Every structure is written in C-alpha cells, then in structure tokens.
Amino acid sequence: MRTIFFLLLILLGISVIGKGQQNTLPYGNFEAAGKYYNIRGIKMYCEVYGSGKPLLMIHGNGGSISSFKNNIGYFAGKYMVIALDSRSQGKSFDPADSLSFEMMADDEAALLDAMHIDSAYVLGWSDGGINALLLAMRHPAKVIKLASTGANLWPDSTAIIPSCGWVIKAL
C-alpha cells in the first residue's frame, strides 16, 4: 500500500524525498553514476542509483533524467533506479532523423538486455508513459509492474480532432 501511495505522489508530480535524503546530486549530469550504452545504432545515456530490484524511469518528450530529480533519491533507497535519456533527448545521441514511440520502447528493452536485467519495474511520465505502455505491450517479459501517467493510449492520428484542428498530445 505504501508503494502505491508513493507512486501516486510521483504520478501527480509531487516531489518525494525520503527521510534523511537530500536532492543534492546533479541527476542527469552525474558522471559517477552515468554510462553510455550502444543500443540499436544509437549512443544511449543512463544513470544508475541505489540497489535492489530494478526500476526503469522514463521521462517525457524533450526531457531528460533531470525530469526525475525530485524522485530519484527516494526510490534509490529501495530500488536500483535506472534513469535514462531517451533516443535523441538529453545526452543520448541518434544520428538518424526518424523517431517513434515504438523505436524508443525497443531501445528500453535493449538497454535492459545490455545491462543484463531480465525485467524491471517501469515508471513513465507523459511521452515516457507512452514508451512504458509500449514497452509492456512489445516486450511483456521485461516489465514486472508498470506505472504510467499522462500517456495517450493511441498516440497516432486518432488523437486529432479534425473539426477544430486541435491535436491532443500527451503533455
């Protein structure tokens, strides 16, 4: 029950710092915790904190590991937090000019393979929530449990309302 409570806080965007823990690390730019992996033709950056069962944290569009700066410290007290910069975002580099949610979900599965991790808890926010859902659909054995927020269940042309020209997008 306590885990569900804290996941709900995270999903609502509320910062959680555990007792005695401080948010003093430069998450997303902490060389001691960071590493690049060659994943499916790209150079993917991730940082690992804590120990225990793996928890993969996936940020939203245009974000980076630092999107979870107020949450990593808490979860690192119980889990091995794997915070990644998605394809073409943050410090991850992709020389190609195409990008899709499916590509990123496959990247995340390949990252877990490269790290010799069979499966992980997954937390995705916004477009990272879409990636998390697709990771679970495309690679179900990789996901122990999933928490996704701000995700569009059908991130395609069905999210367009033609009568008003609006595009509904995961924020």
Side-chain angles (χ1 to χ4, degrees):
M1 185 66 165
R2 183 176 175 187
T3 301
I4 293 170
F5 171 74
F6 283 110
L7 281 175
L8 287 173
L9 290 177
I10 298 302
L11 297 178
L12 294 172
I14 299 170
S15 299
V16 180
I17 303 295
K19 184 178 180 181
Q21 295 176 330
Q22 295 180 7
N23 182 20
T24 58
L25 295 177
Y27 297 115
N29 199 25
F30 189 46
E31 204 171 293
K35 182 176 179 178
Y36 283 94
Y37 290 87
N38 291 317
I39 303 293
R40 297 172 14 90
I42 68 168
K43 188 176 175 184
M44 180 178 278
Y45 181 74
C46 78
E47 293 179 359
V48 177
Y49 299 92
S51 61
K53 292 183 179 180
L55 169 63
L56 181 67
M57 298 182 83
I58 310 170
H59 64 79
N61 183 31
S64 68
I65 292 167
S66 65
S67 298
F68 290 111
K69 68 183 176 195
N70 293 324
N71 311 115
I72 292 172
Y74 173 79
F75 284 109
K78 183 174 180 179
Y79 299 95
M80 177 179 67
V81 173
I82 304 163
L84 63 92
D85 282 342
S86 295
R87 180 182 286 254
S88 297
Q89 297 173 62
K91 291 183 170 185
S92 290
F93 177 73
D94 177 11
D97 62 357
S98 61
L99 184 65
S100 73
F101 294 113
E102 291 81 6
M103 289 170 73
M104 291 187 281
D106 292 346
D107 292 343
E108 292 145 7
L111 174 66
L112 292 175
D113 285 341
M115 297 177 77
H116 307 288
I117 296 172
D118 293 331
S119 59
Y121 291 97
V122 179
L123 173 63
W125 172 71
S126 190
D127 281 3
I130 295 169
N131 294 343
L133 290 169
L134 286 169
L135 175 63
M137 290 189 290
R138 295 170 70 88
H139 307 276
K142 292 289 181 197
V143 179
I144 299 168
K145 289 187 180 180
L146 166 69
S148 174
T149 185
N152 198 340
L153 289 177
W154 295 278
D156 58 20
S157 62
T158 61
I160 299 171
I161 302 172
S163 62
C164 61
W166 291 351
V167 176
I168 300 172
K169 182 179 182 278
L171 298 174

